[in-house]
Amino acid sequence: MLVKAYAAAVFGVDATTVSIEVNIVSGLPSYVLVGLPDNAVKEGYERVRSALSVNGHKFPTARIVVNMAPADVRKEGAAYDLPLAVAIAASNNQINPDRLAKYMLMGELSLDGTLQPIKGALPISIQARAEGFEGLIVPKQNAREAAVVNNLKVFGAETLMEVLRFMNGEDCLEQTEVDTRNEFFAHVEHYDMDFADVKGQEEVKRAFEVAAAGGHNILMIGPPGAGKSMMAKRISTILPPFSLQEALETTKVHSVAGLIGRNTSLMTQRPFRSPHHSVSNVALIGGGSNPKPGEISLAHNGVLFLDELPEFQRQVLEVMRQPLEDRQITISRSKMSVVYPASFMLVASMNPCPCGYYNHPTRDCVCAPGAVQRYLGKISGPLMDRIDLQVEIVPVPFEKLSEQRKGESSAEIRERVVKARLIQQERYKDEEHIHCNAQMNSRLLQKYAQLDKECTDTLRTAMERFSLSARAYDRILKVARTIADLDGAENIQFPHISEAIGYRNLDREGWGT
C-alpha cells in the first residue's frame, strides 16, 4: 500500500516541504531509502523499527521502498524518524492514513518511541502554514517555539504511540497555544544589567549612546580594568527594544542552530554574542560541511562583542569585512548555497599595547619601541575603517569609584536612543532594508547628510590631517547624522561634525608612536 506523509528540510533560515512516500510490496524483506538522505536519515531505520516494535506495532516483513521528494534536495538529521515511522505504520494498515495529508510531522525517535527535540521548529512551522497544512506535530519540547506561528494547529507529542493514536482519530494530543504578542511585550524590556552600575566614563557612555542610536560599530581602546567589558555587556540595555518582526527573524536563526531553550516560544531580548578569541573562521561566519549559522548570524539584530580584538587571528577578522557591509553572509558549497542574515552591531575592545599601559595616566608602558604600532597593526586598515566610533578609555579615578550616587540609568539613555531611532524610522520608511543611519548607502548620505560650508571645511581639514579613507569619510557623516538626530536637529551642524570626527581616536596624528 502506498501512503504519503509530510515533513520539512531546513536550508539557511527557511524550510522546504518534503513528501515521504512509503510503498510496501511483496518480496524478500528489505528496506530501500532514496531521495538524497544523509547517514543520520539512513540510520533512522533501526530507530523506527525498534520504536514501532516496542509500542506493539509489527514492522513489515516485506520489501519497503521509501522516497523522500523532492529527490534533488539533501535530507539531513534524525528529525525524519517520526514521519517515516507513521508512514510505515499507515502503509502496513496499522493506522488510518486519512489524516496524514493534513499534518506535517517532525521528530527524532528513541529506541523506545520517545520523541527527542529537533532544530528549526520555527521555520518548519512557518512553512507548514504557508503550505496550507491544518497542523504540525513536533516533540513537546519544541511545541511552544512552533506555536508562535498563528493560524496553524501545533501539537506537542512525547511518544510515537501518542502520534499513532492521534492519527487514528483519538484526541490524545493537546494543542499548544501561545499568545505571542502578550508574551513578547511582557518580557521585552526586562534586563539584568544597567548602565547605572558604571561609575564615571561619561564620555564613553556618550559614545555608546551615539552608537546605539545609529546602529554604529564601536571600538574601545584602553588599559586593563578600565571597564571596557562591563560597558560592552550593557549596550543591549540601551538599544531599542525588539520589534515583533525582529524577534521572529532572530528566533528563526537561533532555532536553526538549536539554541532555543526548552519550552521557549520567542526571543524577547536582543542577542549578545561574545566568542572567545580562539574562534575559527567557520564558527564566526557560519558554514561547515552541513552549513550552520555562525556567531555573526546568531548576533543578528543584536550585538557581537569581540574582546581583546588583536588576539583574534587576522584571517578570522578579515572574513567579517563583507558581512559588515552587506549585513548577510552567503555560504556556498559545491551542491548548495545558503544565505544567513548578519545585521549586527560590532562592539570591540582592546588594550593599547601588549603590556596594556600605553597612555596610562599613572603607570609606565614597558613595551619595546615600535611594539604599540605592531600591536595595532594586527587589525587591518580596511577593518578599522568599518568601525564608526573609536573611543579611548582611561581608568576611573578613586573619587568616582567611591561615589555612592548612581549614574544615569539604561532606561534614561534608551529613551533618547528610541527617539532618535523613531526619527530614522520615519526618514527611511520608503527604503527597503534601511532602518538606521549606519545602514545608509551613498545615495542616502548625499540626501540626508548634507554639510554647510563650516562643516565641510572642518571635515576637509580632518581628512587631510589624518589621511582618512573615503570609507572613513562616509562613517563620519553617518555618525554626525546620528548625533544630529539625538539633538533633534534637521541638518548636521558644526558641533555634530566635530563630535563625529572626535570619535576617530586611532586616526589622530601621533597616536601609538
Side-chain angles (χ1 to χ4, degrees), residues 4 40 69 107 131 142 168 172 196 259 262 284 323 327 342 364 437:
K4 291 184 180 180
E131 289 286 335
N142 300 112
N168 269 333
C172 56
L259 298 179
R262 179 172 178 171
L284 186 66
R327 299 187 177 272
D364 294 329
N437 289 332

Side-chain angles (χ1 to χ4, degrees), residues 470-484:
R471 183 178 284 113
Y473 170 84
D474 287 350
R475 302 285 173 177
I476 291 173
L477 288 181
K478 292 177 182 180
V479 173
R481 179 66 266 175
T482 298
I483 297 170

Side-chain angles (χ1 to χ4, degrees), residues 3 67 137 173 196 229 401 442 494 497:
V3 300
N67 177 45
I137 300 176
L173 294 181
S229 298
L401 285 174
S442 298
F494 176 75
I497 197 72

Side-chain angles (χ1 to χ4, degrees), residues 223-224 351-358 363-367 371 375:
N351 293 331
C353 64
C355 80
Y357 296 104
Y358 177 78
R363 298 186 62 168
D364 294 329
C365 175
V366 297
C367 296
Y375 192 68

Side-chain angles (χ1 to χ4, degrees), residues 56-198:
H57 287 266
K58 185 180 179 183
F59 195 82
T61 55
R63 179 176 172 80
I64 305 172
V65 181
V66 180
N67 177 45
M68 307 179 79
D72 59 344
V73 173
R74 187 160 180 79
K75 323 302 184 304
E76 299 171 348
Y80 296 101
D81 290 355
L82 179 60
L84 280 169
V86 172
I88 289 173
S91 185
N92 199 32
N93 295 314
Q94 296 187 340
I95 64 169
N96 190 338
D98 293 345
R99 303 181 78 179
L100 288 182
K102 298 179 180 179
Y103 296 92
M104 186 176 281
L105 307 123
M106 293 295 286
E108 177 184 342
L109 288 173
S110 298
L111 295 182
D112 63 354
T114 304
L115 286 172
Q116 302 296 330
I118 62 171
K119 297 179 181 179
L122 180 55
I124 290 170
S125 182
I126 293 172
Q127 178 65 14
R129 182 182 65 179
E131 289 286 335
F133 285 95
E134 181 180 317
L136 170 69
I137 300 176
V138 292
K140 199 162 189 176
Q141 299 94 319
N142 300 112
R144 287 183 58 78
E145 176 189 342
V148 166
V149 179
N150 55 15
N151 299 323
L152 180 74
K153 296 179 181 178
V154 175
F155 299 92
E158 293 183 341
T159 66
L160 171 62
M161 180 57 72
E162 289 180 353
V163 179
L164 295 177
R165 287 171 56 199
F166 179 81
M167 288 298 171
N168 269 333
E170 300 179 37
D171 295 328
C172 56
L173 294 181
E174 183 178 347
Q175 182 179 345
T176 302
E177 296 183 87
V178 174
D179 191 332
T180 306
R181 291 186 177 275
N182 285 347
E183 188 162 318
F184 172 72
F185 289 112
H187 300 92
V188 73
E189 293 191 15
H190 174 74
Y191 301 100
D192 296 326
M193 294 180 286
D194 199 290
F195 259 102
D197 302 328
V198 180

Side-chain angles (χ1 to χ4, degrees), residues 22 45 150 163 211 239 246 248 258 339-340 369:
V22 176
Y45 167 76
N150 55 15
V163 179
L239 289 171
E246 287 176 325
L248 282 168
V339 178
Y340 293 115

